[in-house]
Amino acid sequence: MPEKGGVRRMNTRPGAKKGKSVAHEAKWRKSQDHFECFTNLIATELEDELNQVEDRWKNWTKKKMLSAGLALFDLVARTSGRFFGDPILVFEARGGPLPFHRFGHGDMVIISRARPWGEKVIEGVVLDRNKSRIRVVAKEKPSDLRKGGWRLDKGANRVAHDRMHEALISFHSTEGDGGTVLRDLLLCQPHDLVTSAQRPPEIRGQKIRPLSTKGMLLDSSQKEAIETAVNQRLTMIQGPPGTGKTHTAVHLLKGLIEMGRGPILACAESNVAVDNLLEGLLNLGVNAIRFGRPVKVRESLRDATLDAQVSIHPKQDEIAFIREETEGMRAKLHDLKGKDKGLAHRDINKNYREIRELEQRITDEVIDNAEVICTTNIGAGHFTLNNRKFSIVLIDEATQATEPSALVPIVKGARQLILVGDHRQLPPTVTSQRAEEGGLDIPLFERLLSNGIPAHMLTTQYRMHPTIREFPSSRFYENRLEDGCSSSERPPAAGFLWPDWDKPVAFVPVHGSEMEEESGSSRSNMDEAAVVVQVVNDLLLPGDLSPEDIGVISPYAGQVRLIRSMIEDTIEGLEVKSVDGYQGREKEIIVLSTVRANENGKVGFLSNYRRLNVALTRAKRGLIVIGDDRTLRNDHTWASWLDWINESNLMAWHVVNS
């Protein structure tokens, strides 16, 4: 274990020389150790991420960058209107579709001519993409946009690091309550943690009405979780696949608002999860505002963004009038001399100041009137919310957030904290292996759980056919999952010859071989890809499924690329994605390609049981797994799943033998 407590004085400068590293602990006896440990870990994460980007720029060939989908070269560009005031830049390949790339809605991109490490670059955010173009929203338009070629690269997120660092400083500040009165509890310092967590929250100055769940569509475990959460200062809710954790979260938020609590800060790690919270709240009639750049928000929800609400405020007429007046003054400036010109400049500046003050007043008014503010964890650190306190904070997807990321909303004054997640599904994404080994991938939810603070498990699942639910429930959830849907509500798809028509799960054994990609970053398996295409075509043949009903997933980006290239435009609407990109999603039928097939029995990161759990729990009506059972048996979780397949007679040899 690393040596403890390198430096005794708290050094809060981000680029400060690190002392000896402090080991991650489940219980933090010294607040200083927690600060040092996480300050070092987030600095390491940023450093390694920047080094990776730089290494790609300096040492990777163009071909390698393209095959990994991390850059696009020689693009032509033009503008296409504005998006909430910012220019929209359209990038296209010269005469044809764009090559494979990994840029998706909401991703940060770096725009350059050819050498992003040695020229002035512009950062942007992806608005949307199709086969032939990618639209990016930037703060400024590059000069000579239509001339010459452009390059796009994936960027590193410095903003996230800075906001996490500020949150750590605030959390450990000795002035006031360190951003939250829950600090000692979150460090697991109290002697009796469970009793400390169950204490009622100290929220003064609000007349509280009793909770009413009347009219809410909740099952018994969801209702119990909500009734517990409103009365204690720290609650963790565990939502296994398909148990309605976001449904529970939004009903809990509505319940708290109706009790007279608020405003509430509701966060999640990803934009998609925040949008799901927002959509649920709006459907329940809650006045919720989405904080963050509209470009990162789902199109159907953009009217609920702060920017959109500010732009339709009645006071905008006043601003427009002052703007017009100012433009008129500016137009006359060149005719004025001496004192008159000086007075005109003074008036123009006064008008600009007035516009800024009005804009601030409008923003404050919109936020003041909101019952729930929805934002990503990192978004909660935006300067617009600097002087605001939220006594109730709810974090959905809490198990996908690193601890410093979760602290960003918590230090906004949390007196009551609700964490919703599932530590049996994928952990936070950590780029740096060093930071991961140091414990950055252990979410706050899981650390609190390891100290004996219980999580309320939602136990009725509404997604999967009972057979699909069977293995994950026994292996990952102590057999506690019950079915909220019957077999008859999840009929098997007609286009696949199921080994047992009453049990729509099948394993298709393919004894092929895996290939490592040239970039060394991923793997693929041509034999499996061919079977995937055959299975998908068979599934679509009878007409009871559309391509949108099927999800093709693989743990390896190389396999995702290969399958996409084989399908190309032949099956419009079919989604082919990585397992990690599918958490929180569902489809009628899932086809999973496991890729690994080698004589050494190496399964690589397939051995992560959480990834397997996510992969096996996305399907509603049917799950088809394609892989090499000889290789997969070298991992004990996969071996036990294959044993279950054998015992249930669900091996689909006939698919490859036909």
PDB file of all heavy atoms in Angstrom, residues 30-55:
ATOM      1  N   LYS A  30      -9.074  10.884   8.523  1.00  0.00           N
ATOM      2  CA  LYS A  30      -8.557  12.248   8.365  1.00  0.00           C
ATOM      3  C   LYS A  30      -9.114  12.847   7.081  1.00  0.00           C
ATOM      4  O   LYS A  30      -8.912  12.304   5.998  1.00  0.00           O
ATOM      5  CB  LYS A  30      -7.032  12.232   8.294  1.00  0.00           C
ATOM      6  CG  LYS A  30      -6.370  11.860   9.601  1.00  0.00           C
ATOM      7  CD  LYS A  30      -4.870  11.917   9.412  1.00  0.00           C
ATOM      8  CE  LYS A  30      -4.149  11.419  10.655  1.00  0.00           C
ATOM      9  NZ  LYS A  30      -2.789  10.981  10.311  1.00  0.00           N
ATOM     10  N   SER A  31      -9.757  13.975   7.241  1.00  0.00           N
ATOM     11  CA  SER A  31     -10.306  14.691   6.099  1.00  0.00           C
ATOM     12  C   SER A  31      -9.193  15.054   5.103  1.00  0.00           C
ATOM     13  O   SER A  31      -9.355  14.980   3.887  1.00  0.00           O
ATOM     14  CB  SER A  31     -11.015  15.927   6.655  1.00  0.00           C
ATOM     15  OG  SER A  31     -11.071  16.934   5.740  1.00  0.00           O
ATOM     16  N   GLN A  32      -8.020  15.403   5.642  1.00  0.00           N
ATOM     17  CA  GLN A  32      -6.864  15.775   4.807  1.00  0.00           C
ATOM     18  C   GLN A  32      -6.470  14.654   3.845  1.00  0.00           C
ATOM     19  O   GLN A  32      -6.132  14.892   2.687  1.00  0.00           O
ATOM     20  CB  GLN A  32      -5.687  16.097   5.757  1.00  0.00           C
ATOM     21  CG  GLN A  32      -4.359  16.319   5.061  1.00  0.00           C
ATOM     22  CD  GLN A  32      -4.282  17.689   4.410  1.00  0.00           C
ATOM     23  OE1 GLN A  32      -4.933  18.618   4.865  1.00  0.00           O
ATOM     24  NE2 GLN A  32      -3.509  17.805   3.354  1.00  0.00           N
ATOM     25  N   ASP A  33      -6.528  13.397   4.339  1.00  0.00           N
ATOM     26  CA  ASP A  33      -6.144  12.251   3.494  1.00  0.00           C
ATOM     27  C   ASP A  33      -7.108  12.098   2.315  1.00  0.00           C
ATOM     28  O   ASP A  33      -6.702  11.792   1.202  1.00  0.00           O
ATOM     29  CB  ASP A  33      -6.127  10.955   4.321  1.00  0.00           C
ATOM     30  CG  ASP A  33      -4.936  10.900   5.278  1.00  0.00           C
ATOM     31  OD1 ASP A  33      -4.041  11.754   5.134  1.00  0.00           O
ATOM     32  OD2 ASP A  33      -4.910  10.021   6.156  1.00  0.00           O
ATOM     33  N   HIS A  34      -8.403  12.291   2.596  1.00  0.00           N
ATOM     34  CA  HIS A  34      -9.415  12.205   1.535  1.00  0.00           C
ATOM     35  C   HIS A  34      -9.118  13.253   0.468  1.00  0.00           C
ATOM     36  O   HIS A  34      -9.105  12.967  -0.733  1.00  0.00           O
ATOM     37  CB  HIS A  34     -10.808  12.431   2.147  1.00  0.00           C
ATOM     38  CG  HIS A  34     -11.937  12.386   1.160  1.00  0.00           C
ATOM     39  ND1 HIS A  34     -12.329  13.495   0.411  1.00  0.00           N
ATOM     40  CD2 HIS A  34     -12.778  11.367   0.772  1.00  0.00           C
ATOM     41  CE1 HIS A  34     -13.352  13.160  -0.364  1.00  0.00           C
ATOM     42  NE2 HIS A  34     -13.645  11.877  -0.169  1.00  0.00           N
ATOM     43  N   PHE A  35      -8.850  14.491   0.922  1.00  0.00           N
ATOM     44  CA  PHE A  35      -8.560  15.589  -0.005  1.00  0.00           C
ATOM     45  C   PHE A  35      -7.346  15.265  -0.878  1.00  0.00           C
ATOM     46  O   PHE A  35      -7.377  15.403  -2.095  1.00  0.00           O
ATOM     47  CB  PHE A  35      -8.316  16.891   0.776  1.00  0.00           C
ATOM     48  CG  PHE A  35      -7.943  18.041  -0.108  1.00  0.00           C
ATOM     49  CD1 PHE A  35      -8.921  18.771  -0.771  1.00  0.00           C
ATOM     50  CD2 PHE A  35      -6.616  18.387  -0.312  1.00  0.00           C
ATOM     51  CE1 PHE A  35      -8.579  19.825  -1.618  1.00  0.00           C
ATOM     52  CE2 PHE A  35      -6.263  19.444  -1.155  1.00  0.00           C
ATOM     53  CZ  PHE A  35      -7.257  20.155  -1.807  1.00  0.00           C
ATOM     54  N   GLU A  36      -6.269  14.822  -0.225  1.00  0.00           N
ATOM     55  CA  GLU A  36      -5.031  14.557  -0.973  1.00  0.00           C
ATOM     56  C   GLU A  36      -5.192  13.391  -1.935  1.00  0.00           C
ATOM     57  O   GLU A  36      -4.741  13.449  -3.085  1.00  0.00           O
ATOM     58  CB  GLU A  36      -3.879  14.273  -0.004  1.00  0.00           C
ATOM     59  CG  GLU A  36      -3.266  15.548   0.540  1.00  0.00           C
ATOM     60  CD  GLU A  36      -2.158  15.276   1.530  1.00  0.00           C
ATOM     61  OE1 GLU A  36      -1.565  14.180   1.499  1.00  0.00           O
ATOM     62  OE2 GLU A  36      -1.895  16.171   2.344  1.00  0.00           O
ATOM     63  N   CYS A  37      -5.840  12.331  -1.462  1.00  0.00           N
ATOM     64  CA  CYS A  37      -6.021  11.145  -2.304  1.00  0.00           C
ATOM     65  C   CYS A  37      -6.751  11.516  -3.599  1.00  0.00           C
ATOM     66  O   CYS A  37      -6.278  11.235  -4.696  1.00  0.00           O
ATOM     67  CB  CYS A  37      -6.808  10.077  -1.540  1.00  0.00           C
ATOM     68  SG  CYS A  37      -7.272   8.671  -2.564  1.00  0.00           S
ATOM     69  N   PHE A  38      -7.898  12.191  -3.466  1.00  0.00           N
ATOM     70  CA  PHE A  38      -8.710  12.470  -4.654  1.00  0.00           C
ATOM     71  C   PHE A  38      -8.143  13.608  -5.506  1.00  0.00           C
ATOM     72  O   PHE A  38      -8.305  13.608  -6.721  1.00  0.00           O
ATOM     73  CB  PHE A  38     -10.173  12.718  -4.273  1.00  0.00           C
ATOM     74  CG  PHE A  38     -10.903  11.436  -3.994  1.00  0.00           C
ATOM     75  CD1 PHE A  38     -11.301  11.104  -2.706  1.00  0.00           C
ATOM     76  CD2 PHE A  38     -11.159  10.526  -5.018  1.00  0.00           C
ATOM     77  CE1 PHE A  38     -11.954   9.899  -2.450  1.00  0.00           C
ATOM     78  CE2 PHE A  38     -11.818   9.323  -4.770  1.00  0.00           C
ATOM     79  CZ  PHE A  38     -12.213   9.013  -3.484  1.00  0.00           C
ATOM     80  N   THR A  39      -7.460  14.570  -4.874  1.00  0.00           N
ATOM     81  CA  THR A  39      -6.811  15.626  -5.662  1.00  0.00           C
ATOM     82  C   THR A  39      -5.762  14.992  -6.569  1.00  0.00           C
ATOM     83  O   THR A  39      -5.656  15.317  -7.759  1.00  0.00           O
ATOM     84  CB  THR A  39      -6.156  16.677  -4.737  1.00  0.00           C
ATOM     85  OG1 THR A  39      -7.175  17.221  -3.894  1.00  0.00           O
ATOM     86  CG2 THR A  39      -5.545  17.812  -5.537  1.00  0.00           C
ATOM     87  N   ASN A  40      -4.994  14.047  -6.011  1.00  0.00           N
ATOM     88  CA  ASN A  40      -3.973  13.349  -6.811  1.00  0.00           C
ATOM     89  C   ASN A  40      -4.608  12.501  -7.915  1.00  0.00           C
ATOM     90  O   ASN A  40      -4.133  12.475  -9.051  1.00  0.00           O
ATOM     91  CB  ASN A  40      -3.115  12.444  -5.914  1.00  0.00           C
ATOM     92  CG  ASN A  40      -2.151  13.250  -5.052  1.00  0.00           C
ATOM     93  OD1 ASN A  40      -1.927  14.429  -5.311  1.00  0.00           O
ATOM     94  ND2 ASN A  40      -1.610  12.625  -4.030  1.00  0.00           N
ATOM     95  N   LEU A  41      -5.700  11.793  -7.566  1.00  0.00           N
ATOM     96  CA  LEU A  41      -6.322  10.889  -8.544  1.00  0.00           C
ATOM     97  C   LEU A  41      -6.914  11.645  -9.731  1.00  0.00           C
ATOM     98  O   LEU A  41      -6.750  11.228 -10.880  1.00  0.00           O
ATOM     99  CB  LEU A  41      -7.395  10.026  -7.871  1.00  0.00           C
ATOM    100  CG  LEU A  41      -6.889   8.930  -6.926  1.00  0.00           C
ATOM    101  CD1 LEU A  41      -8.060   8.223  -6.241  1.00  0.00           C
ATOM    102  CD2 LEU A  41      -6.023   7.905  -7.656  1.00  0.00           C
ATOM    103  N   ILE A  42      -7.598  12.763  -9.471  1.00  0.00           N
ATOM    104  CA  ILE A  42      -8.189  13.481 -10.615  1.00  0.00           C
ATOM    105  C   ILE A  42      -7.101  14.166 -11.446  1.00  0.00           C
ATOM    106  O   ILE A  42      -7.239  14.313 -12.656  1.00  0.00           O
ATOM    107  CB  ILE A  42      -9.306  14.475 -10.202  1.00  0.00           C
ATOM    108  CG1 ILE A  42      -8.796  15.567  -9.267  1.00  0.00           C
ATOM    109  CG2 ILE A  42     -10.503  13.747  -9.607  1.00  0.00           C
ATOM    110  CD1 ILE A  42      -9.809  16.687  -8.994  1.00  0.00           C
ATOM    111  N   ALA A  43      -5.994  14.568 -10.784  1.00  0.00           N
ATOM    112  CA  ALA A  43      -4.875  15.160 -11.537  1.00  0.00           C
ATOM    113  C   ALA A  43      -4.234  14.104 -12.433  1.00  0.00           C
ATOM    114  O   ALA A  43      -3.897  14.362 -13.595  1.00  0.00           O
ATOM    115  CB  ALA A  43      -3.844  15.739 -10.569  1.00  0.00           C
ATOM    116  N   THR A  44      -4.090  12.882 -11.890  1.00  0.00           N
ATOM    117  CA  THR A  44      -3.531  11.766 -12.666  1.00  0.00           C
ATOM    118  C   THR A  44      -4.424  11.437 -13.857  1.00  0.00           C
ATOM    119  O   THR A  44      -3.945  11.224 -14.975  1.00  0.00           O
ATOM    120  CB  THR A  44      -3.392  10.506 -11.768  1.00  0.00           C
ATOM    121  OG1 THR A  44      -2.574  10.843 -10.655  1.00  0.00           O
ATOM    122  CG2 THR A  44      -2.783   9.339 -12.523  1.00  0.00           C
ATOM    123  N   GLU A  45      -5.725  11.425 -13.612  1.00  0.00           N
ATOM    124  CA  GLU A  45      -6.693  11.121 -14.678  1.00  0.00           C
ATOM    125  C   GLU A  45      -6.575  12.135 -15.813  1.00  0.00           C
ATOM    126  O   GLU A  45      -6.502  11.765 -16.990  1.00  0.00           O
ATOM    127  CB  GLU A  45      -8.111  11.107 -14.082  1.00  0.00           C
ATOM    128  CG  GLU A  45      -9.246  11.043 -15.079  1.00  0.00           C
ATOM    129  CD  GLU A  45      -9.476   9.683 -15.727  1.00  0.00           C
ATOM    130  OE1 GLU A  45      -8.670   8.761 -15.522  1.00  0.00           O
ATOM    131  OE2 GLU A  45     -10.463   9.549 -16.471  1.00  0.00           O
ATOM    132  N   LEU A  46      -6.534  13.424 -15.469  1.00  0.00           N
ATOM    133  CA  LEU A  46      -6.426  14.463 -16.498  1.00  0.00           C
ATOM    134  C   LEU A  46      -5.090  14.357 -17.236  1.00  0.00           C
ATOM    135  O   LEU A  46      -5.038  14.402 -18.471  1.00  0.00           O
ATOM    136  CB  LEU A  46      -6.579  15.852 -15.883  1.00  0.00           C
ATOM    137  CG  LEU A  46      -6.444  17.022 -16.875  1.00  0.00           C
ATOM    138  CD1 LEU A  46      -7.587  17.023 -17.895  1.00  0.00           C
ATOM    139  CD2 LEU A  46      -6.379  18.367 -16.165  1.00  0.00           C
ATOM    140  N   GLU A  47      -4.025  14.177 -16.478  1.00  0.00           N
ATOM    141  CA  GLU A  47      -2.670  14.088 -17.056  1.00  0.00           C
ATOM    142  C   GLU A  47      -2.594  12.932 -18.058  1.00  0.00           C
ATOM    143  O   GLU A  47      -2.113  13.102 -19.184  1.00  0.00           O
ATOM    144  CB  GLU A  47      -1.686  13.853 -15.903  1.00  0.00           C
ATOM    145  CG  GLU A  47      -0.227  14.027 -16.249  1.00  0.00           C
ATOM    146  CD  GLU A  47       0.654  13.712 -15.026  1.00  0.00           C
ATOM    147  OE1 GLU A  47       0.334  14.143 -13.910  1.00  0.00           O
ATOM    148  OE2 GLU A  47       1.649  12.992 -15.221  1.00  0.00           O
ATOM    149  N   ASP A  48      -3.099  11.763 -17.657  1.00  0.00           N
ATOM    150  CA  ASP A  48      -3.036  10.598 -18.543  1.00  0.00           C
ATOM    151  C   ASP A  48      -3.929  10.775 -19.769  1.00  0.00           C
ATOM    152  O   ASP A  48      -3.596  10.332 -20.862  1.00  0.00           O
ATOM    153  CB  ASP A  48      -3.409   9.317 -17.781  1.00  0.00           C
ATOM    154  CG  ASP A  48      -2.280   8.862 -16.870  1.00  0.00           C
ATOM    155  OD1 ASP A  48      -1.266   9.592 -16.786  1.00  0.00           O
ATOM    156  OD2 ASP A  48      -2.386   7.795 -16.238  1.00  0.00           O
ATOM    157  N   GLU A  49      -5.071  11.434 -19.562  1.00  0.00           N
ATOM    158  CA  GLU A  49      -5.979  11.664 -20.691  1.00  0.00           C
ATOM    159  C   GLU A  49      -5.320  12.610 -21.704  1.00  0.00           C
ATOM    160  O   GLU A  49      -5.345  12.370 -22.911  1.00  0.00           O
ATOM    161  CB  GLU A  49      -7.296  12.261 -20.177  1.00  0.00           C
ATOM    162  CG  GLU A  49      -8.435  12.115 -21.164  1.00  0.00           C
ATOM    163  CD  GLU A  49      -9.762  12.699 -20.662  1.00  0.00           C
ATOM    164  OE1 GLU A  49      -9.908  12.921 -19.447  1.00  0.00           O
ATOM    165  OE2 GLU A  49     -10.627  12.941 -21.509  1.00  0.00           O
ATOM    166  N   LEU A  50      -4.701  13.692 -21.205  1.00  0.00           N
ATOM    167  CA  LEU A  50      -4.014  14.636 -22.095  1.00  0.00           C
ATOM    168  C   LEU A  50      -2.828  13.967 -22.789  1.00  0.00           C
ATOM    169  O   LEU A  50      -2.586  14.184 -23.975  1.00  0.00           O
ATOM    170  CB  LEU A  50      -3.526  15.857 -21.298  1.00  0.00           C
ATOM    171  CG  LEU A  50      -4.623  16.807 -20.785  1.00  0.00           C
ATOM    172  CD1 LEU A  50      -4.051  17.802 -19.796  1.00  0.00           C
ATOM    173  CD2 LEU A  50      -5.312  17.527 -21.934  1.00  0.00           C
ATOM    174  N   ASN A  51      -2.103  13.119 -22.039  1.00  0.00           N
ATOM    175  CA  ASN A  51      -0.961  12.404 -22.631  1.00  0.00           C
ATOM    176  C   ASN A  51      -1.414  11.457 -23.733  1.00  0.00           C
ATOM    177  O   ASN A  51      -0.758  11.313 -24.764  1.00  0.00           O
ATOM    178  CB  ASN A  51      -0.197  11.614 -21.561  1.00  0.00           C
ATOM    179  CG  ASN A  51       0.613  12.537 -20.669  1.00  0.00           C
ATOM    180  OD1 ASN A  51       0.854  13.686 -21.028  1.00  0.00           O
ATOM    181  ND2 ASN A  51       1.014  12.053 -19.500  1.00  0.00           N
ATOM    182  N   GLN A  52      -2.567  10.783 -23.507  1.00  0.00           N
ATOM    183  CA  GLN A  52      -3.102   9.872 -24.530  1.00  0.00           C
ATOM    184  C   GLN A  52      -3.426  10.637 -25.811  1.00  0.00           C
ATOM    185  O   GLN A  52      -3.109  10.191 -26.906  1.00  0.00           O
ATOM    186  CB  GLN A  52      -4.379   9.197 -24.020  1.00  0.00           C
ATOM    187  CG  GLN A  52      -4.118   7.952 -23.195  1.00  0.00           C
ATOM    188  CD  GLN A  52      -5.427   7.318 -22.729  1.00  0.00           C
ATOM    189  OE1 GLN A  52      -6.477   7.509 -23.327  1.00  0.00           O
ATOM    190  NE2 GLN A  52      -5.357   6.561 -21.646  1.00  0.00           N
ATOM    191  N   VAL A  53      -4.093  11.794 -25.630  1.00  0.00           N
ATOM    192  CA  VAL A  53      -4.457  12.621 -26.794  1.00  0.00           C
ATOM    193  C   VAL A  53      -3.184  13.047 -27.527  1.00  0.00           C
ATOM    194  O   VAL A  53      -3.069  12.926 -28.749  1.00  0.00           O
ATOM    195  CB  VAL A  53      -5.286  13.857 -26.355  1.00  0.00           C
ATOM    196  CG1 VAL A  53      -5.468  14.828 -27.510  1.00  0.00           C
ATOM    197  CG2 VAL A  53      -6.645  13.421 -25.813  1.00  0.00           C
ATOM    198  N   GLU A  54      -2.197  13.524 -26.754  1.00  0.00           N
ATOM    199  CA  GLU A  54      -0.949  14.000 -27.360  1.00  0.00           C
ATOM    200  C   GLU A  54      -0.187  12.863 -28.042  1.00  0.00           C
ATOM    201  O   GLU A  54       0.358  13.032 -29.134  1.00  0.00           O
ATOM    202  CB  GLU A  54      -0.079  14.646 -26.281  1.00  0.00           C
ATOM    203  CG  GLU A  54       0.967  15.536 -26.886  1.00  0.00           C
ATOM    204  CD  GLU A  54       1.297  16.729 -25.997  1.00  0.00           C
ATOM    205  OE1 GLU A  54       0.369  17.322 -25.423  1.00  0.00           O
ATOM    206  OE2 GLU A  54       2.484  17.033 -25.886  1.00  0.00           O
ATOM    207  N   ASP A  55      -0.190  11.706 -27.397  1.00  0.00           N
ATOM    208  CA  ASP A  55       0.500  10.548 -27.971  1.00  0.00           C
ATOM    209  C   ASP A  55      -0.115  10.176 -29.324  1.00  0.00           C
ATOM    210  O   ASP A  55       0.577   9.897 -30.295  1.00  0.00           O
ATOM    211  CB  ASP A  55       0.419   9.358 -27.003  1.00  0.00           C
ATOM    212  CG  ASP A  55       1.034   8.099 -27.599  1.00  0.00           C
ATOM    213  OD1 ASP A  55       2.232   8.155 -27.974  1.00  0.00           O
ATOM    214  OD2 ASP A  55       0.329   7.076 -27.714  1.00  0.00           O
TER     215      ASP A  55
END
